[in-house]
Amino acid sequence: MFWFLLITMVVVVAAVTLAVVGGGDSEVLPEVAPEQLVDPLPAARPVDRADVEALRLPVAARGYRMADVDDVLVRLGAELAERDARIAELEEALAAPGGDADTEGGEK
């Protein structure tokens, strides 16, 4: 039994050593070209909910590609800031004298 365990251990160590060192010039796992993000966000119009739901970021060896995620987040952040500014502008116009929607239709 002792000799069987010893031989098995030697075979396992040899197999692991060959796997780590490699079997010559061939690589164990060949390099694969990384996925590139094909920007599904429209450039000609504002992003809507369907665009965000359809967005699928390519994955890399350690998760998502940071540059692609950063680009999408910057784009969405800029559009949200633009919408927030427009909402604030419209609310300000409503709050200004003469901008009240109730007075346009007549007296209360």
Side-chain angles (χ1 to χ4, degrees):
M1 184 70 173
F2 171 74
W3 290 108
F4 176 73
L5 290 174
L6 184 63
I7 292 172
T8 304
M9 188 167 49
V10 167
V11 169
V12 169
V13 168
V16 169
T17 303
L18 284 176
V20 170
V21 172
D25 293 335
S26 65
E27 297 180 31
V28 177
L29 293 176
E31 289 293 323
V32 177
E35 282 185 64
Q36 296 296 322
L37 175 65
V38 178
D39 190 12
L41 298 178
R45 64 175 174 78
V47 176
D48 62 12
R49 181 179 179 162
D51 296 327
V52 175
E53 288 175 353
L55 180 66
R56 296 293 176 259
L57 298 170
V59 294
R62 295 185 180 185
Y64 292 103
R65 294 172 46 92
M66 288 188 290
D68 292 338
V69 174
D70 290 344
D71 291 343
V72 169
L73 290 176
V74 165
R75 168 88 187 268
L76 292 175
E79 288 201 19
L80 287 174
E82 184 177 316
R83 289 177 188 175
D84 288 345
R86 179 70 177 146
I87 289 170
E89 178 184 311
L90 292 173
E91 286 176 343
E92 189 176 302
L94 275 176
D100 193 9
D102 290 336
T103 60
E104 291 177 9
E107 296 283 330
K108 281 189 178 181

